[in-house]
Amino acid sequence: MNKNEFVNEVYARAGLSKKDCKLCLDTILEVIKDALKNGDSVTLSNFGKFKISEIKTKPMYNFKTHTTEMVEARKTPSFKASDNLKQIVK
């Protein structure tokens, strides 16, 4: 399901205009992005948790040059599904 299909599904279920549904979705995504950018996590009960995971510096083998290089430490967004969501998908 892509973003437009998602907006159409919300439109069909919520009874709001498509424009309002798209604005709401865009706003929710912006709030999540801003929270992650500031280092905060976002927990939606019965759905899951968006957070920043830190990946440590580690060695990586480069098959083209046949050398080992160090990959820099970095932060990456991650999502952990709630137990309730896992049971629904099961």
Side-chain angles (χ1 to χ4, degrees):
M1 178 180 291
N2 64 31
K3 187 176 179 180
N4 285 332
E5 293 168 340
F6 186 82
V7 168
N8 288 336
E9 188 66 28
V10 172
Y11 164 73
R13 292 183 187 198
L16 301 171
S17 70
K18 283 188 182 181
K19 184 178 179 180
D20 288 341
C21 291
K22 185 177 182 322
L23 177 64
C24 187
L25 176 60
D26 289 340
T27 304
I28 291 168
L29 295 176
E30 284 299 317
V31 169
I32 292 172
K33 285 190 263 183
D34 289 343
L36 294 175
K37 184 174 153 183
N38 293 331
D40 298 328
S41 62
V42 178
T43 303
L44 303 173
S45 57
N46 293 325
F47 187 73
K49 181 176 185 177
F50 296 91
K51 66 179 185 172
I52 296 293
S53 297
E54 295 189 24
I55 299 175
K56 297 178 182 179
T57 301
K58 61 183 177 181
M60 176 194 77
Y61 185 75
N62 186 332
F63 289 98
K64 285 187 176 182
T65 62
H66 302 288
T67 59
T68 300
E69 302 170 0
M70 293 303 284
V71 176
E72 296 286 325
R74 63 190 183 278
K75 295 179 181 178
T76 184
S78 63
F79 175 77
K80 184 175 188 309
S82 70
D83 291 336
N84 185 40
L85 182 59
K86 289 177 186 177
Q87 289 299 320
I88 292 170
V89 174
K90 197 172 188 182

